[in-house]
Amino acid sequence: MFRYLRTHVAWKMFFSYLLVVLVGFIVLAAATRLSVPSAFERHMSGMMPGEETMMGGMMGNQTMQMDLFQNYQAAVNEALSLAVAAALIAAIFASFFISRQIVEPIQKMKAISHRIADGDYAERLAITGDGQLNQLDELDQLSHSFNQMADKLEQTEQMRRELIGDVTHELRTPLAAIKGYMEGLIDGVIPATPQTYQQVHAEADRLQRLVNDLQELSIVEGEAYQLNLVSIQPKSLIETIVNQFSYAFEEKGLQLTHVVQADLPDIFADTDRIQQVLTNLLGNALQYTPEGGKVELTVSENKSEMLFSIRDSGIGIPAEQLPLVFNRFYRIDKSRARLSGGSGIGLTIAKALVLAHHGRIWVESAGEAQGSTFSFALPISTKESQ
């Protein structure tokens, strides 16, 4: 019996109402038993003398007075019994009505959660209230939070499926090319020239870069690493990155400039990880900026943040695609990215690394063929405050 009560909220609520009625009855009965005799005597003694004489004549003795008191007390008890019965009926209806309002959403949530566990993310809880979240009652707020959780799980599952599909597609292309070259070499259709081997090597190298990027993405998004936080001078950091990319930009015919604000404070960050962020962003600008274009790297202090910006004169980004840029395997120009061998996850890695430093990252663009600006901001802090 008690186990059944512990597992059913509706019966818990009913017995809680019943307990309230019972306690109220006990208190009321005790108060009635203690107060009725004294109240009766007080009212009897306060009656007019004429009335007392008349009543004395009618009763004749003390026994009749006791009968009057007992009848009065019986009337009080009868009224109390009727009140308790009415309270019990009200408690039954109230517990039934309120438990339906509480238990049914919980049971619905339980059923939907089981379906979500089985992979069905379509159903959501109904929210009866209207208005802002802070104007809803606790049950509607719980339903709203549950629906948000279901939405996140559905998005995660969709991203997982897309990731599997994207990885399969990305791996299939170089593997198919390598297999085709090898079959051609075996059949003698393709000559065994250095150019053929170079093409096979290029596809294998592309495949290796993709696997390395996927491994890096797994490590970064899974936070399976520790940041080696040290004091970094922004100027020396930028000079190192510019020196690394100067030859690649010159070879493509691009102009790379950098502007570093004077007297910048040091930032406390992981040097290798921030260099990786800048490398991914500059590599993206190099890839999507046509020959003769310009790329400018700027660093400045913005209140309590260090702001890094990479502005290019490349192909630009349509407004509707700006929120998708940091998604895995997303490409603005898929054909050009494929020819250049980009994996499409460099920006995803950059975003994860910036967020790991408690920073923020975003992209701006006026539209197609109007260039774009990738920016990220890191908090300016001391080692003691980390």
Side-chain angles (χ1 to χ4, degrees):
M1 179 64 179
F2 290 104
R3 180 179 299 177
Y4 182 82
L5 292 177
R6 285 197 300 266
T7 57
H8 290 77
V9 177
W11 283 104
K12 286 183 180 179
M13 296 185 63
F14 170 72
F15 278 102
S16 66
Y17 288 126
L18 189 62
L19 181 62
V20 171
V21 172
L22 180 61
V23 171
F25 169 73
I26 293 174
V27 172
L28 186 58
T32 301
R33 183 169 295 275
L34 292 175
S35 61
V36 165
S38 59
F40 181 80
E41 291 179 2
R42 185 172 64 254
H43 285 286
M44 290 296 293
S45 62
M47 297 179 65
M48 296 296 293
E51 294 177 349
E52 288 183 359
T53 305
M54 184 182 300
M55 184 173 286
M58 292 175 61
M59 294 181 180
N61 53 44
Q62 188 176 4
T63 303
M64 296 183 66
Q65 187 175 0
M66 288 297 298
D67 290 340
L68 178 61
F69 173 73
Q70 289 176 356
N71 291 332
Y72 171 73
Q73 192 172 35
V76 171
N77 292 336
E78 182 179 349
L80 182 60
S81 300
L82 291 175
V84 170
L88 283 174
I89 295 173
I92 292 173
F93 280 101
S95 63
F96 176 76
F97 176 76
I98 297 177
S99 64
R100 284 193 60 186
Q101 302 299 314
I102 296 177
V103 174
E104 282 191 2
I106 295 176
Q107 291 177 340
K108 184 74 171 177
M109 187 181 300
K110 177 183 176 182
I112 295 177
S113 65
H114 287 168
R115 285 193 281 274
I116 289 177
D118 293 334
D120 181 7
Y121 300 93
E123 196 169 356
R124 297 291 184 271
L125 288 171
I127 298 178
T128 58
D130 297 325
Q132 300 294 328
L133 180 61
N134 56 5
Q135 297 176 352
L136 301 176
D137 61 23
E138 288 81 358
L139 281 175
D140 281 335
Q141 290 182 8
L142 177 61
S143 299
H144 181 270
S145 299
F146 182 88
N147 290 342
Q148 282 187 323
M149 180 197 68
D151 290 338
K152 291 292 185 182
L153 289 174
E154 185 176 16
Q155 292 174 7
T156 302
E157 177 64 17
Q158 182 65 26
M159 290 176 62
R160 184 188 68 83
R161 293 174 181 173
E162 292 177 355
L163 177 61
I164 293 175
D166 291 335
V167 170
T168 302
H169 178 73
E170 295 295 330
L171 292 176
R172 183 186 296 116
T173 303
L175 285 174
I178 293 173
K179 182 180 179 181
Y181 282 121
M182 297 307 298
E183 288 178 350
L185 288 171
I186 293 173
D187 296 337
V189 178
I190 299 177
T193 62
Q195 291 80 8
T196 301
Y197 292 122
Q198 183 64 34
Q199 289 175 334
V200 174
H201 181 271
E203 292 295 338
D205 186 56
R206 176 183 169 190
L207 186 61
Q208 184 179 23
R209 288 200 306 270
L210 176 60
V211 172
N212 291 338
D213 287 343
L214 287 171
Q215 183 181 21
E216 182 67 22
L217 178 64
S218 175
I219 293 174
V220 170
E221 289 194 332
E223 298 182 357
Y225 64 93
Q226 288 186 342
L227 294 177
N228 182 24
L229 303 177
V230 295
S231 181
I232 304 175
Q233 292 182 344
K235 183 177 180 179
S236 62
L237 177 65
I238 297 305
E239 289 176 349
T240 300
I241 294 297
V242 170
N243 290 334
Q244 291 178 357
F245 275 87
S246 59
Y247 177 75
F249 275 82
E250 290 177 4
E251 188 177 32
K252 190 175 179 180
L254 299 177
Q255 181 181 355
L256 175 61
T257 60
H258 64 282
V259 178
V260 181
Q261 180 181 324
D263 301 326
L264 288 177
D266 291 355
I267 57 174
F268 200 64
D270 188 314
T271 306
D272 294 336
R273 297 300 182 180
I274 298 303
Q275 284 183 349
Q276 186 176 1
V277 173
L278 291 169
T279 297
N280 290 357
L281 295 180
L282 275 178
N284 183 76
L286 174 65
Q287 178 178 324
Y288 288 104
T289 304
E291 183 179 354
K294 297 180 180 179
V295 176
E296 183 182 42
L297 173 58
T298 61
V299 186
S300 60
E301 183 179 0
N302 181 24
K303 296 181 181 179
S304 61
E305 294 179 321
M306 190 70 66
L307 179 61
F308 298 80
S309 295
I310 295 92
R311 179 183 292 107
D312 63 62
S313 58
I315 64 174
I317 306 172
E320 66 274 8
Q321 297 187 30
L322 286 174
L324 308 174
V325 168
F326 294 99
N327 290 354
R328 304 183 190 98
F329 296 105
Y330 187 80
R331 296 187 178 95
I332 303 300
D333 186 344
K334 295 178 172 58
S335 61
R336 185 172 301 180
R338 188 170 299 285
L339 291 173
S340 62
S343 64
I345 57 178
L347 295 180
T348 308
I349 294 174
K351 178 181 179 180
L353 291 176
V354 170
L355 295 179
H357 284 80
H358 305 289
R360 53 194 182 96
I361 187 170
W362 66 96
V363 60
E364 299 169 301
S365 178
E368 293 188 43
Q370 300 188 51
S372 57
T373 302
F374 285 84
S375 304
F376 68 95
L378 300 177
I380 299 175
S381 56
T382 62
K383 183 174 182 180
E384 288 75 12
S385 64
Q386 290 288 332

